[in-house]
Amino acid sequence: MVLVKKTLRIGLLLLVLIISLLFLSRNLIVKKIFSKTSARIKNRYGLTVTSSAVEVKGLNTLQLQNLLIVDTDTLLCSESFRIKLNPFHLVLLKINPKQIDISRATINIDNLIALASKHTLQNSNERKNESSSNKRLYRLVKAFFGLSTATFNINNLHFTYSDSAYNGKVTIEKWSYCNNNFTSTLTLNDGDRTSRVIVTGTTSKRKNSLTATVTIDQPEAYIPFTTPVLGVKASFKKIFLDLNATHIEPGRIELNLVSSINSLLLDSKRIAQKPVIIDSCGANMKIRVIPNSFVIDSLSTVSINGFKAKLGFEYRPLPSRYVWFTLNTGENSWQSLFDALPNGLFTNLWGIKVNGTFSYSLQVGVPLTNPDSLTIAPNLKSKGFYVLSYGNTNLAMLADTFTHRAYIDNIYVRDIKVNPKSASYASLDQISSYLQWAVITSEDGGFYNHRGFSLDGITYAMACNIREKRFARGGSTITQQLVKNVFLNQSKNIGRKAEEILITWITEDSGVVSKERMLEVYLNIIEWGPDVFGIREASQYYFGKKPSSLTLPEALFLAYIIPRPAKFRYLFVTEGKLKPFVTESFMFVANKMLNRGNITQQDYDNLATNPQVTLTGPAKDLLKKESSSENIDSEANFTEQEKETN
């Protein structure tokens, strides 16, 4: 018994001695750790980390004076940086801060983005394995909640972005905590606009949760950095965020995210010609990260102006980088959809009143390494739809006479009378059947069979866009092209395409315009050459004849140049003959026409004997002019540019 007591006393003395030695030498230990950590950061990321003073205050507070992190330029500088740690975590060298104090610091976002882009590219080239990716993500999520749930005391922290065309800044003037509740005042400077916002919320380390509300005391607050980084100018009136990690471990991460934004404004020509205003939008998402899978649960919801839909997403990096996307609206009234359309989009449909209900679901599967194998499965069920009254634009005008305003590159050219009494107009029975079927076969083979959309065309266009990593093809049908020409502009943006899809569906489903009428109007308004619009002008310009007299080769030529009518002369060689790739395309299209019964075998044989055309109208004069340096030697080169507008 005496021996045991003596042993305990000796052990206790040794423990006190060790703790005392650690306490007395804590600054030396911390400096050594800081030096080794800085060296690892330098070796891994090429960053130089320095501090004029590294020391431990008291038992558990790490203080860095004049902290500086530099790449080729300064990423971060801070006059004073203090971290209070749990003593137990400090002994184990774990960084899970209880409190962070930052004073007079600046973080340069532009340099940080450049660094992130550089290392993202390096990581993609190195093809890190799945296990290391999961570990990095786990550490990132763990670090986020470790930092975001700490008690912050901030005095003048600046986030800046600067380049040749933009200067922006976010300044956290004061950020303070009291009983897990925080409040902060931020100044947002987005170029020439400055606004102040109040951020309030709560955090919980035990629950790994963060709740924040951002409000303003003025009409709007513009979000800095979105213009140079995303190409979008954005503002808001209120933001709410609730993020909770229900499970965090290396093999499984589960997050719940609830967010909402009031009066969101998005201004970008890539979205729409005018600023888009969304009164309210939000998301309620369940996110899971498990081995070889990143998942947004299909029960997650998104909402825009009160209209809700379920959204699902999954990304599997191995073995073939597969993406799966689902959307499900459930049953809703059609009117609720139209009422939810954001201001600035769908301007032709503002004020429309409709009847009926619908449900819509969409499933898209994309193997990114083999986009040609992508699958699309849309399913629309509509009941009792009809238009009670049109909004800004009477879509039924297509069935009547009207004046079409023709544009090229969004520049007004002239008016076109869509009227049988007009000398430049040709009714369908005045247009060669060769021309009608050549255009349908080339542009939209299923025109008379579909309801405005070609699933095969959309699938092919999506695969092409993914493969080329840009918006190269639109997969538009004749109905969609007609809608774009009559009701919309030629801008290449998301808003125009979305409105085109919705108007196309209304036009086809309402039945106010027949397929024959759509084709007739289409052939009478599309551009067919330099200041040449409509089939009557085109027939005269190229061949000096009426549309009813067009031969099969002439019809195939006119159908072929629809994508790039102003470039027709580059299809000919110097002696006025068509290039081989053009006549090969004629035979390909004619073979489809033959198989569908649009032409006879004799028509096809005659074309095979002589697929050339002779320009006899004013167009022939352009062939005599000096050839352009533009080299068009294949169908892909000829059609690529204009396909982007479809």
Side-chain angles (χ1 to χ4, degrees):
M1 188 67 179
V2 174
L3 180 62
V4 172
K5 289 182 178 180
K6 187 175 181 180
T7 303
L8 288 174
R9 282 198 297 269
I10 293 173
L12 183 61
L13 287 172
L14 287 174
L15 179 61
V16 171
L17 179 61
I18 292 171
I19 293 174
S20 299
L21 288 173
L22 287 173
F23 179 78
L24 293 173
S25 60
R26 66 192 188 282
N27 285 327
L28 291 175
I29 295 173
V30 166
K31 287 179 181 179
K32 189 70 174 177
I33 294 173
F34 180 82
S35 178
K36 287 185 176 181
T37 302
S38 299
R40 285 202 303 268
I41 293 173
K42 177 71 173 179
N43 182 59
R44 186 168 184 176
Y45 301 106
L47 302 178
T48 301
V49 182
T50 60
S51 177
S52 63
V54 181
E55 55 188 351
V56 177
K57 295 291 186 180
L59 289 174
N60 62 341
T61 299
L62 174 65
Q63 179 170 296
L64 306 175
Q65 293 289 98
N66 299 314
L67 176 65
L68 188 65
I69 302 177
V70 178
D71 186 21
T72 54
D73 203 345
T74 301
L75 297 176
L76 178 148
C77 61
S78 175
E79 184 176 303
S80 176
F81 192 88
R82 293 163 59 98
I83 305 176
K84 181 177 288 188
L85 302 168
N86 184 309
F88 179 71
H89 288 160
L90 185 61
V91 171
L92 297 177
L93 300 180
K94 287 186 176 181
I95 304 299
N96 187 13
K98 291 179 61 179
Q99 180 175 318
I100 299 176
D101 299 339
I102 303 174
S103 179
R104 290 177 289 280
T106 299
I107 298 175
N108 295 318
I109 299 297
D110 46 330
N111 296 334
L112 198 60
I113 292 174
L115 176 69
S117 300
K118 180 172 67 176
H119 285 282
T120 298
L121 179 61
Q122 289 177 355
N123 288 339
S124 65
N125 292 335
E126 292 171 6
R127 298 185 64 84
K128 300 280 186 176
N129 62 46
E130 174 198 344
S131 177
S132 63
S133 298
N134 287 340
K135 288 179 180 178
R136 287 198 308 273
L137 182 60
Y138 163 73
R139 288 196 297 266
L140 180 64
V141 173
K142 192 73 175 176
F144 171 80
F145 281 100
L147 290 172
S148 64
T149 57
T151 298
F152 276 90
N153 292 301
I154 298 175
N155 180 26
N156 287 324
L157 171 59
H158 308 281
F159 298 87
T160 67
Y161 187 105
S162 179
D163 59 26
S164 59
Y166 177 87
N167 285 287
K169 179 188 288 188
V170 174
T171 299
I172 302 177
E173 300 172 5
K174 200 76 175 174
W175 188 297
S176 56
Y177 264 81
C178 181
N179 298 326
N180 292 331
N181 298 315
F182 63 85
T183 182
S184 177
T185 302
L186 280 66
T187 299
L188 310 181
N189 181 271
D190 182 45
D192 57 347
R193 296 180 175 90
T194 300
S195 53
R196 289 169 62 86
V197 302
I198 305 298
V199 182
T200 58
T202 61
T203 63
S204 172
K205 273 193 176 296
R206 185 174 61 85
K207 296 180 179 179
N208 283 322
S209 65
L210 166 68
T211 301
T213 302
V214 184
T215 56
I216 62 175
D217 56 2
Q218 54 200 79
E220 59 192 1
Y222 279 84
I223 305 173
F225 317 145
T226 58
T227 301
V229 176
L230 303 176
V232 179
K233 188 174 287 292
S235 71
F236 68 95
K237 285 188 177 181
K238 183 178 180 180
I239 298 177
F240 172 79
L241 174 69
D242 184 2
L243 182 61
N244 170 238
T246 58
H247 201 100
I248 303 180
E249 61 181 41
R252 189 176 188 87
I253 299 171
E254 295 184 0
L255 307 173
N256 290 335
L257 170 67
V258 178
S259 64
S260 63
I261 304 178
N262 292 347
S263 298
L264 175 64
L265 180 145
L266 301 173
D267 188 0
S268 171
K269 298 302 181 185
R270 290 185 295 182
I271 297 176
Q273 288 299 100
K274 299 178 180 179
V276 177
I277 300 174
I278 303 174
D279 294 334
S280 64
C281 59
N284 188 340
M285 294 186 175
K286 297 181 182 298
I287 303 169
R288 294 193 306 275
V289 181
I290 53 180
N292 196 38
S293 187
F294 173 86
V295 179
I296 298 177
D297 193 279
S298 58
L299 295 179
S300 300
T301 61
V302 293
S303 65
I304 295 179
N305 293 339
F307 186 87
K308 291 184 178 181
K310 292 180 180 178
L311 175 74
F313 176 86
E314 182 176 0
Y315 171 65
R316 296 197 296 268
L318 297 175
S320 60
R321 295 176 57 226
Y322 192 86
V323 174
W324 183 258
F325 171 84
T326 64
L327 179 71
N328 194 326
T329 66
E331 186 167 354
N332 288 273
S333 70
W334 274 109
Q335 190 61 52
S336 67
L337 173 65
F338 288 107
D339 290 343
L341 298 178
N343 188 2
L345 293 177
F346 306 96
T347 54
N348 289 282
L349 300 174
W350 288 352
I352 191 171
K353 299 298 179 184
V354 299
N355 191 55
T357 61
F358 78 100
S359 63
Y360 179 76
S361 64
L362 174 66
Q363 295 181 345
V364 180
V366 185
L368 295 177
T369 55
N370 183 24
D372 290 334
S373 298
L374 83 110
T375 59
I376 305 175
N379 184 20
L380 173 65
K381 296 180 180 179
S382 178
K383 299 178 182 178
F385 176 84
Y386 60 88
V387 178
L388 299 172
S389 62
Y390 289 102
N392 280 356
T393 303
N394 181 6
L395 305 182
M397 63 179 276
L398 285 173
D400 203 350
T401 60
F402 64 95
T403 299
H404 171 64
R405 292 174 61 84
Y407 290 82
I408 297 179
D409 296 329
N410 280 328
I411 298 174
Y412 170 74
V413 179
R414 59 187 170 96
D415 287 345
I416 298 173
K417 300 288 186 181
V418 181
N419 189 332
K421 296 181 180 179
S422 172
S424 62
Y425 190 86
S427 58
L428 208 57
D429 60 4
Q430 296 173 326
I431 301 173
S432 163
S433 63
Y434 290 141
L435 187 281
Q436 295 180 43
W437 287 113
V439 170
I440 290 173
T441 305
S442 299
E443 293 293 303
D444 182 7
F447 173 67
Y448 280 113
N449 300 317
H450 62 59
R451 299 288 297 274
F453 306 98
S454 168
L455 187 58
D456 289 341
I458 294 171
T459 303
Y460 175 76
M462 284 186 62
C464 180
N465 295 338
I466 294 169
R467 187 170 53 251
E468 299 188 23
K469 298 180 180 180
R470 65 187 182 92
F471 188 69
R473 292 181 180 267
S476 293
T477 62
I478 285 177
T479 312
Q480 288 176 268
Q481 294 182 52
L482 175 64
V483 165
K484 181 193 71 175
N485 277 285
V486 174
F487 299 114
L488 306 171
N489 54 54
Q490 296 178 321
S491 300
K492 301 171 186 177
N493 56 52
I494 298 171
R496 192 273 287 171
K497 194 68 181 178
E499 187 168 10
E500 173 192 303
I501 291 171
L502 198 47
I503 294 177
T504 296
W505 186 85
I506 295 172
T507 302
E508 289 272 3
D509 191 79
S510 62
V512 296
V513 184
S514 67
K515 288 283 192 178
E516 291 76 11
R517 173 63 177 176
M518 291 181 195
L519 180 63
E520 180 178 296
V521 175
Y522 175 78
L523 296 176
N524 275 278
I525 67 170
I526 61 173
E527 181 191 4
W528 240 310
D531 198 28
V532 177
F533 291 88
I535 186 56
R536 189 174 291 280
E537 290 184 8
S539 301
Q540 189 65 36
Y541 180 74
Y542 292 102
F543 304 113
K545 60 175 61 174
K546 297 178 180 179
S548 59
S549 302
L550 291 169
T551 64
L552 178 58
E554 292 167 346
L556 290 167
F557 171 80
L558 290 176
Y560 190 86
I561 65 174
I562 288 176
R564 295 182 71 183
K567 303 292 185 180
F568 75 89
R569 63 184 183 277
Y570 303 119
L571 301 179
F572 294 86
V573 292
T574 52
E575 60 269 23
K577 288 190 175 183
L578 291 168
K579 294 178 180 179
F581 74 86
V582 182
T583 55
E584 289 172 7
S585 176
F586 284 6
M587 298 309 302
F588 178 77
V589 174
N591 185 58
K592 286 187 175 182
M593 295 171 67
L594 176 63
N595 292 335
R596 295 171 180 174
N598 305 141
I599 60 174
T600 66
Q601 184 65 51
Q602 186 63 51
D603 291 327
Y604 183 84
D605 293 341
N606 291 341
L607 178 70
T609 302
N610 181 19
Q612 292 289 330
V613 296
T614 301
L615 302 186
T616 57
K620 68 178 184 297
D621 296 332
L622 283 182
L623 297 184
K624 300 176 183 178
K625 295 184 178 180
E626 184 177 350
S627 177
S628 167
S629 60
E630 183 171 357
N631 181 27
I632 296 179
D633 56 5
S634 70
E635 181 174 6
N637 288 344
F638 181 75
T639 59
E640 179 180 7
Q641 178 176 327
E642 282 302 310
K643 285 295 182 184
E644 296 180 2
T645 66
N646 289 343

